[in-house]
Amino acid sequence: MEAMKQAILTHEIPGFKTKEEFWNPYHWYKEMRDNHPVYYHEGQQVWNVFTYENVKRVLSDYQLFSSKSERTQIAALSQDSGELDRTTVIFSDPPEHRKRRSLLSAAFTPRHLKNWEPRINTIVNELIQDMDQMSEIDIVGSFAIPLPITIIAELLGVPAVDRKLFKQWVDIIFLPFSSGNLAEQNEKKAKAALEFSEYLHPVIKGKRENPGDDIISDLINVEVDEDRLTDDEIIKMTRGLLGAGLETTSHLIANCFYSFLYDKPGIYQTLREDIDLVPKAIEEVLRYRFNIMKLERTIKEDTDLFGPKMKKGEMIIAWTSAANLDEAVFPHPEQFDIFRPNNREHLTFGNGPHFCLGAPLARLEVEIALKAFIKHYPNIQSVPSFDFVDHLSFSAFGQSLNYLPIIAEH
């Protein structure tokens, strides 16, 4: 039986009143790091840490800060009996976490990434060709969203015609709770999860009979401790992969173009002149422009590690986006600088045992996409009438762009 975890409404913690504040929270992050580095929010009853050192400690010290919890900010469906469910990778600690993660990691080996590269290249080039006839390109609708959907559907081995369904399900299941009718939000999430499960059962059955070169077939074949995954376990793992893969990659692509146009105008031409700088640019976007990223943990025992007395069972939020802007680690952090020597030390993909398993795939997708786009379009320009505030929507990343027009020149 599946049940919803109790919601943490993390968007209420900053007390922001406008979308623009969510999109550019840099002033608040600095205020918290400088004056309230360890902060208890009474309304949500959670501790919060903001400095790089403290955030990294929370994410890596699983003996003191557990990933098991009764509350979560994302509130996707989770198991009542998490200890017994091998699919609950996110909400588990070592040594059990290592066993569960090994079931998923079989699908993300370097060999698989190398095999997937030509398929990703083909999808990227097809999308770019489709944009050739457009005088003005919505980089979100034409590139950032369809690219990861198409790739993940291809890698899962599901029919291309059903890709949009995946996006619809992900948007509902993984959307953070908002203020309002929580029971109604629970019901919508449960309905979407059920529809996803009913869709995938026959797909898995078909692949058990005729396995292919795809992630679902890999999960069918993987064996750990002489045991294999059930159909239900594969569905739950696949659901988690979708949530992580679609949201992260789509958000990263959109933010790359936003940063090239608005955070650092002219950097696109720099990348055009030296295409090998693209990976550096991606890391700086991950550091600078993932604006509301945070991960929750449960305090396992009474501690005063960070100064104030924290009690066993209390929740703590590690604000990774604030840590990514800590001047103690990143000099002049408010500047978007692709030449920053240590920008890859950001914590956007986490740290420690729960470092994002799909990070290599996300980096590969976006690097291939940007290099192909930059080679095809030597110059891009912003659209003067565009107002980003009108095109922000609430997502797992706080506020995300749902529309970003650009003018791309051949």
Side-chain angles (χ1 to χ4, degrees), residues 46-254:
V46 292
W47 289 98
N48 300 266
V49 291
F50 300 90
T51 67
Y52 188 93
E53 180 182 2
N54 289 352
V55 168
K56 191 173 183 179
R57 178 65 181 270
V58 169
L59 298 183
S60 59
D61 187 353
Y62 61 86
Q63 294 181 330
L64 184 56
F65 303 104
S66 174
S67 295
K68 301 174 186 177
S69 67
E70 297 300 321
R71 304 177 65 197
T72 179
Q73 56 176 316
I74 300 298
L77 289 170
S78 56
Q79 288 295 306
D80 287 333
S81 54
E83 285 295 321
L84 303 177
D85 187 345
R86 295 171 298 172
T87 70
T88 54
V89 178
I90 296 176
F91 302 114
S92 63
D93 296 323
E96 185 62 30
H97 172 265
R98 284 190 285 269
K99 298 178 183 177
R100 299 176 185 183
R101 187 179 174 98
S102 66
L103 292 166
L104 268 176
S105 62
F108 289 91
T109 63
R111 176 183 65 82
H112 281 88
L113 290 179
K114 194 66 178 176
N115 291 343
W116 293 340
E117 194 167 334
R119 298 157 79 176
I120 296 172
N121 266 303
T122 298
I123 294 168
V124 166
N125 288 326
E126 288 175 353
L127 289 173
I128 289 175
Q129 289 300 321
D130 290 342
M131 289 184 274
D132 256 357
Q133 307 306 315
M134 303 177 186
S135 58
E136 185 177 292
I137 298 171
D138 170 17
I139 209 68
V140 176
S142 298
F143 206 36
I145 290 177
L147 179 60
I149 290 177
T150 307
I151 289 173
I152 199 68
E154 169 81 8
L155 299 185
L156 288 173
V158 302
V161 69
D162 296 328
R163 291 167 183 165
K164 289 186 178 180
L165 282 174
F166 278 50
K167 174 63 175 165
Q168 293 171 12
W169 288 323
V170 166
D171 284 347
I172 296 172
I173 295 171
F174 292 94
L175 184 70
F177 276 128
S178 59
S179 303
N181 192 329
L182 297 182
E184 182 179 337
Q185 294 173 60
N186 278 339
E187 185 178 343
K188 288 181 179 179
K189 288 174 181 286
K191 181 175 182 292
L194 178 60
E195 290 174 357
F196 178 81
S197 178
E198 291 175 343
Y199 170 87
L200 216 57
H201 265 296
V203 174
I204 295 172
K205 181 180 179 181
K207 291 186 181 299
R208 286 195 182 277
E209 298 171 355
N210 297 291
D213 181 19
D214 54 66
I215 292 176
I216 291 179
S217 297
D218 290 337
L219 293 176
I220 289 171
N221 293 326
V222 69
E223 183 176 315
V224 175
D225 297 333
E226 300 182 348
D227 198 6
R228 294 180 182 271
L229 292 168
T230 67
D231 287 6
D232 284 340
E233 288 173 331
I234 291 172
I235 287 171
K236 291 166 189 170
M237 283 193 166
T238 303
R239 191 171 65 203
L241 290 174
L242 277 174
L246 295 187
E247 283 288 324
T248 304
T249 307
S250 174
H251 194 63
L252 178 53
I253 293 171

